[in-house]
């Protein structure tokens, strides 16, 4: 569905129609963190709807945003790896 960013109600509805698809794609790449990436994509799209130029489909534009959100989450996980609480307790107990 092609739409312009001029009508924000229609644009919001169009974006929401793609959320299930975006969530599936993100979860394939990130697992449970995919839900966060999809929600961040929704927020970015709604906040930046005036930048949508209608030269490509809304889905393609959303996938571009999602791609960047997925990369951001991957980078964040590398920078701050998740350590299980049991591992921390075991390490503390051995000291």
């Amino acid at each position: 569905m092609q739409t312009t960013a001029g009508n924000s109600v229609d644009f919001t509805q169009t974006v929401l129609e793609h959320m299930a698809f975006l969530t599936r794609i993100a979860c394939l790449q990130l697992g449970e963190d995919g839900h966060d990436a999809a929600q961040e994509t929704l927020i970015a799209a709604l906040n930046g709807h005036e930048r949508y130029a209608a030269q490509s489909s809304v889905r393609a534009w959303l996938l571009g945003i999602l791609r960047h959100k997925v990369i951001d989450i991957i980078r964040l996980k590398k920078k701050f790896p998740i350590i299980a609480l049991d591992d921390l307790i075991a390490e503390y107990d051995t000291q």
Side-chain angles (χ1 to χ4, degrees), residues 1-2 14-15 18 21-22 41 45 52-68:
M1 175 181 191
Q2 291 279 2
T14 301
V15 169
H18 293 285
F21 171 74
L22 294 172
T41 299
Y52 174 66
Q55 295 172 347
S56 63
S57 70
V58 172
R59 180 180 263 193
W61 183 67
L62 292 170
L63 283 171
I65 296 171
L66 179 65
R67 177 178 170 263
H68 291 284

Side-chain angles (χ1 to χ4, degrees), residues 14 24 33 35-36 56-57 59-60 63-64 68 71-72 81 87:
T14 301
R24 283 193 306 272
D33 288 334
H35 294 281
D36 294 335
S56 63
S57 70
R59 180 180 263 193
L63 283 171
H68 291 284
I71 291 169
D72 289 346
D87 294 341

Side-chain angles (χ1 to χ4, degrees), residues 5-18:
N7 186 337
S8 62
V9 173
D10 288 344
F11 187 78
T12 300
Q13 182 60 37
T14 301
V15 169
L16 289 174
E17 289 171 4
H18 293 285

Side-chain angles (χ1 to χ4, degrees), residues 2-93:
Q2 291 279 2
T3 186
T4 62
N7 186 337
S8 62
V9 173
D10 288 344
F11 187 78
T12 300
Q13 182 60 37
T14 301
V15 169
L16 289 174
E17 289 171 4
H18 293 285
M19 283 309 297
F21 171 74
L22 294 172
T23 302
R24 283 193 306 272
I25 296 297
C27 285
L28 284 172
Q29 296 176 349
L30 297 172
E32 283 299 311
D33 288 334
H35 294 281
D36 294 335
Q39 290 175 358
E40 289 180 22
T41 299
L42 171 65
I43 292 166
L46 296 178
N47 286 338
H49 73 276
E50 66 280 349
R51 290 190 298 266
Y52 174 66
Q55 295 172 347
S56 63
S57 70
V58 172
R59 180 180 263 193
W61 183 67
L62 292 170
L63 283 171
I65 296 171
L66 179 65
R67 177 178 170 263
H68 291 284
K69 298 302 178 185
V70 166
I71 291 169
D72 289 346
I73 289 173
I74 290 170
R75 285 181 182 153
L76 187 64
K77 287 171 103 175
K78 286 182 181 179
K79 189 173 184 178
F80 301 104
I82 297 172
I83 301 171
L85 184 58
D86 292 339
D87 294 341
L88 287 174
I89 292 170
E91 184 178 319
Y92 180 77
D93 286 343

